């Protein structure tokens, strides 16, 4: 641990704590679990990603005002991009998703959280248009093996038109990485607070379905297609959205998000040596192709298939 972190922990009274690294994902941020006696806390070291600290603090305050279990901020060293955070526990929801009963409990809680976020007055956040959302998918052209940019450009043109029409109906807060690895079961809390939320510094404003897509097409935890359909219906019944319109929006944003993730996982493997997500590529690809089966893509699904060959990595 570097000198600035040691000094920060001393100023917070945690200098004598034992610490161990906590697995991160694809960011430059590092996390450590601190332990002393029966207490624990999390040290977040944003390192070169110091620009993520102000939005993380802003979104933490917003989420906690909305009654959600974002970690309490225990200490801040803004100059060195260090935060001391409440520890929401060591077991993410992804470790429970193989049990059908536990998975249902997690998904039920997630629907409540998404509705609470949707109904809360949003903070000022970036609101990317359909053109930018589609531009973000070019990471697949650049990094996915065998990708045909010409074909994907044709698919993107259709996708941008679909997304533009969907976004015309308004936007809400998206935490952007709302999936089982970033959700922490807190069984001693009630209501929307019974799942802790993490990794929301990149939150933006977009169509309300975005985080539902993130949850139900999770690369890290299998959500069978029948269960996915059931929770799309559940969300529609609670939100008041028309089911047909919600299914169209789900397919469109699933195509956008999963096309982008295919590129991100391969980029991380090639550029950062982080290959642990590559075995999840077939699941992401299946979700993308399932989205393309929606009638809204009837004229371009063949183009997508031609431009994006099936992965060779074993599932």
């Amino acid at each position: 641990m570097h000198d600035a972190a040691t000094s920060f922990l001393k100023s917070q009274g945690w200098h004598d704590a034992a610490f161990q690294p906590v697995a991160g994902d694809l960011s430059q941020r590092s996390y450590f679990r601190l332990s002393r006696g029966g207490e624990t806390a999390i040290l977040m070291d944003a390192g070169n990603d110091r620009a993520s600290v102000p939005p993380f603090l802003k979104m933490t305050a917003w989420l906690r005002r909305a009654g959600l279990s974002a970690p309490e901020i225990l200490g801040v060293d803004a100059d060195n991009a260090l935060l001391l955070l409440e520890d929401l526990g060591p077991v993410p929801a992804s470790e429970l998703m193989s049990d059908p009963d536990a998975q249902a409990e997690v998904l039920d809680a997630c629907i409540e959280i998404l509705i609470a976020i949707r109904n809360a007055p949003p903070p000022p956040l970036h609101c990317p248009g359909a053109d930018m959302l589609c531009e973000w998918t070019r990471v697949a052209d650049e990094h996915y093996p065998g990708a045909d940019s010409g074909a994907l450009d044709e698919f993107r043109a259709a996708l941008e038109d679909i997304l533009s029409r969907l976004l015309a109906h308004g936007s809400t807060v998206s935490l952007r990485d709302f999936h089982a690895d970033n959700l922490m079961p807190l069984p001693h809390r009630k209501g929307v607070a019974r799942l802790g939320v993490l990794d929301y510094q990149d939150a933006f404003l977009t169509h309300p379905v975005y985080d539902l897509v993130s949850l139900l097409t999770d690369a890290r935890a299998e959500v069978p297609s029948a269960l996915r359909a059931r929770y799309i219906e559940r969300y529609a019944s609670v939100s008041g959205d028309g089911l047909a319109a919600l299914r169209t929006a789900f397919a469109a944003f699933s195509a956008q998000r999963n096309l982008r993730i295919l590129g991100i996982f391969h980029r991380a493997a090639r550029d950062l040596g982080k290959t642990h997500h590559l075995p999840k590529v077939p699941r992401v690809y299946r979700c993308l192709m399932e989205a393309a089966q929606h009638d809204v893509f009837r004229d371009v699904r063949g183009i997508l298939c031609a431009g994006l060959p099936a992965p060779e990595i074993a599932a």
Side-chain angles (χ1 to χ4, degrees):
M1 193 172 291
H2 55 75
D3 291 345
T6 300
S7 297
F8 174 58
L9 292 179
K10 185 173 183 179
S11 73
Q12 300 297 315
W14 282 85
H15 58 286
D16 56 348
F19 66 93
Q20 62 180 21
V22 176
D25 198 6
L26 300 179
S27 76
Q28 300 179 59
R29 297 180 297 277
S30 300
Y31 299 87
F32 301 89
R33 176 166 283 106
L34 311 175
S35 304
R36 60 176 189 190
E39 293 183 286
T40 62
I42 298 292
L43 173 66
M44 184 180 93
D45 182 351
N48 293 330
D49 191 20
R50 62 181 57 245
S52 68
V53 173
F56 180 86
L57 294 173
K58 179 174 77 171
M59 284 304 301
T60 298
W62 184 83
L63 288 164
R64 290 176 64 83
R65 285 196 301 270
L68 303 178
S69 289
E72 181 182 357
I73 306 296
L74 305 176
V76 179
D77 178 353
D79 290 341
N80 292 296
L82 298 166
L83 298 178
L84 187 65
L85 307 173
E86 174 189 9
D87 183 5
L88 297 182
V91 181
S94 56
E95 296 190 17
L96 309 178
M97 297 290 271
S98 60
D99 176 79
D101 290 337
Q103 184 179 46
E105 290 180 12
V106 169
L107 294 177
D108 287 344
C110 286
I111 296 298
E112 294 177 33
I113 290 171
L114 292 179
I115 296 299
I117 289 173
R118 179 171 176 167
N119 290 338
L125 291 171
H126 178 50
C127 187
D131 56 344
M132 182 171 291
L133 291 170
C134 287
E135 187 67 22
W136 290 348
T137 70
R138 290 190 184 278
V139 66
D141 304 40
E142 298 165 5
H143 297 282
Y144 185 83
D148 180 339
S149 291
L152 291 180
D153 278 343
E154 288 188 61
F155 178 77
R156 257 189 297 270
L159 178 61
E160 182 175 340
D161 180 63
I162 295 164
L163 293 178
S164 293
R165 286 184 271 120
L166 291 167
L167 290 171
H169 297 288
S171 60
T172 192
V173 173
S174 163
L175 302 189
R176 195 163 172 178
D177 287 311
F178 189 80
H179 55 68
D181 268 5
N182 289 333
L183 299 168
M184 312 301 293
L186 300 170
H188 56 289
R189 301 185 187 182
K190 304 297 182 183
V192 294
R194 67 187 187 276
L195 275 182
V197 292
L198 302 173
D199 198 13
Y200 41 74
Q201 63 283 332
D202 294 325
F204 60 0
L205 299 177
T206 193
H207 192 284
V209 83
Y210 191 96
D211 281 356
L212 185 67
V213 168
S214 178
L215 173 70
L216 297 181
T217 66
D218 188 356
R220 301 154 185 82
E222 182 69 42
V223 180
S225 57
L227 188 62
R228 186 179 306 131
R230 187 190 315 163
Y231 276 91
I232 292 172
E233 292 176 4
R234 172 80 62 83
Y235 183 90
S237 68
V238 176
S239 67
D241 295 332
L243 182 56
L246 184 63
R247 285 173 173 158
T248 299
F250 191 96
F253 280 91
S254 180
Q256 184 273 339
R257 180 175 171 82
N258 286 297
L259 179 57
R260 182 168 181 259
I261 289 173
L262 287 176
I264 288 173
F265 283 179
H266 280 281
R267 181 179 64 187
R270 191 191 74 177
D271 294 354
L272 304 175
K274 295 184 176 183
T275 60
H276 59 289
H277 283 315
L278 289 183
K280 302 163 189 170
V281 164
R283 180 180 293 156
V284 178
Y285 187 88
R286 288 196 301 271
C287 288
L288 171 59
M289 291 304 163
E290 180 180 311
Q293 294 310 304
H294 190 282
D295 192 55
V296 75
F297 290 122
R298 63 186 178 278
D299 295 331
V300 291
R301 70 170 64 100
I303 294 170
L304 174 65
C305 293
L308 207 70
E312 297 179 358
I313 300 166

